[in-house]
Amino acid sequence: MFESLGLGDARWRNRLSRTSDRVLYESAAASRGAVIVSHWRHDALHRESGTAITPFLELGVVVEVHCRCDPETAAQRFTERTRHAGHLDAQGDPVEVVERFRRLSALGPVGILDPIVVDTTVAPDVAGIADAVHTRARGETGVNPAS
């Protein structure tokens, strides 16, 4: 969207993010099933940041995979990644980024029943996580392979 609609300030970026969320939802709704990766908005924060989860819950079976690591590692990974300049990452204060990840970490999963929690400080067992997702999607109970 940055390429087709242009760059702007933080308010513009947020408008494009919400538009992107609608496109993501429409694509998921039109699919026969999807794995959707996003920074989901945590209701406890009441922020504009992140994708609202509620519309996606209406699409059918939803399995939450909550990836966690210590806030400092998450902040480092966030600041070291390369994204389009339109995200305005370069304008972020590194201290605030760590604080934001501390707040997010304290909240935990977004709240979908029985989330699969993955410790990303070590290489995850991708096959085990996929099996757990399939088990949950079929409505079966199972052991969380990542806890």
Side-chain angles (χ1 to χ4, degrees), residues 31-114:
S31 76
R32 292 182 44 204
V35 173
I36 304 170
V37 177
S38 186
H39 167 68
W40 300 104
R41 184 180 311 147
H42 206 296
D43 288 339
L45 286 182
H46 304 289
R47 293 178 50 127
E48 285 297 311
S49 180
T51 301
I53 191 80
T54 306
F56 293 89
L57 297 176
E58 299 167 0
L59 295 178
V61 176
V62 176
V63 177
E64 178 179 4
V65 178
H66 175 77
C67 298
R68 72 171 179 210
C69 62
D70 64 87
E72 292 74 19
T73 299
Q76 179 180 0
R77 290 173 179 171
F78 180 84
T79 57
E80 289 178 355
R81 68 187 178 160
T82 302
R83 295 196 303 170
H84 192 284
H87 289 283
L88 307 177
D89 291 341
Q91 294 179 9
D93 174 5
V95 173
E96 171 51 32
V97 171
V98 173
E99 286 305 313
R100 186 173 357 125
F101 277 101
R102 285 186 181 135
R103 289 189 303 272
L104 285 169
S105 179
L107 295 172
V110 294
I112 298 171
L113 294 176
D114 198 21

Side-chain angles (χ1 to χ4, degrees), residues 22-34 36 56 59:
R22 284 191 297 279
V23 170
L24 180 64
Y25 174 81
E26 291 166 3
S27 296
S31 76
R32 292 182 44 204
I36 304 170
F56 293 89
L59 295 178

Side-chain angles (χ1 to χ4, degrees), residues 121-143:
T121 59
V122 296
D125 173 11
V126 176
I129 295 165
D131 287 344
V133 168
H134 287 156
T135 297
R136 303 268 171 85
R138 289 189 304 264
E140 302 168 13
T141 58
V143 176

Side-chain angles (χ1 to χ4, degrees), residues 1-6:
M1 287 189 179
F2 294 128
E3 296 301 322
S4 62
L5 299 175

